[in-house]
């Protein structure tokens, strides 16, 4: 039987359980890496960590985040200035 839990901080997931599922023990998927990202984040990002369990043991997980983005920042500079003028 599979169950899913969604955690709002990597600190709420036991490190040994998280790292046991990470493929090839890759640093960028490790518990320590996500803890450092969370701790250093100065943005308004919200992090979520869905973990799938089978018979009480984690078998899959992911890191999902939501962040506000101003899409005008992706425009060429001359269009960015036009957007700023229109917003006023």
């Amino acid at each position: 039987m599979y169950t899913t839990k969604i955690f709002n901080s990597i600190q709420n997931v036991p490190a040994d359980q998280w790292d046991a599922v990470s493929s090839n023990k890759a640093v960028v998927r490790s518990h320590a890496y996500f803890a450092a990202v969370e701790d250093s984040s100065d943005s308004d990002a919200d992090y979520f960590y869905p973990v799938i369990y089978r018979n009480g043991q984690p078998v899959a997980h992911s890191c999902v985040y939501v962040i506000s983005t101003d899409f005008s920042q992706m425009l060429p500079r001359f269009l960015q200035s036009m957007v700023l003028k229109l917003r006023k």
Side-chain angles (χ1 to χ4, degrees):
M1 181 174 148
Y2 292 94
T3 58
T4 302
K5 291 184 184 178
I6 300 176
F7 300 93
N8 63 358
S9 173
I10 194 67
Q11 300 301 337
N12 297 330
V13 183
D16 59 334
Q17 289 185 7
W18 183 272
D19 290 338
V21 178
S22 296
S23 60
N24 299 324
K25 309 293 184 229
V27 172
V28 296
R29 290 188 290 268
S30 70
H31 189 278
Y33 177 84
F34 288 117
V37 169
E38 268 188 34
D39 290 344
S40 68
S41 180
D42 61 355
S43 69
D44 63 346
D46 293 317
Y47 298 93
F48 302 95
Y49 302 89
V51 180
I52 299 172
Y53 296 88
R54 182 175 184 206
N55 299 324
Q57 295 299 313
V59 294
H61 57 53
S62 182
C63 173
V64 180
Y65 64 92
V66 178
I67 188 167
S68 299
T69 302
D70 180 356
F71 285 106
S72 67
Q73 68 187 0
M74 297 177 199
L75 295 171
R77 290 211 184 266
F78 74 94
L79 289 176
Q80 286 180 11
S81 61
M82 290 173 59
V83 169
L84 287 174
K85 288 177 186 176
L86 290 172
R87 286 184 179 167
K88 291 182 182 179

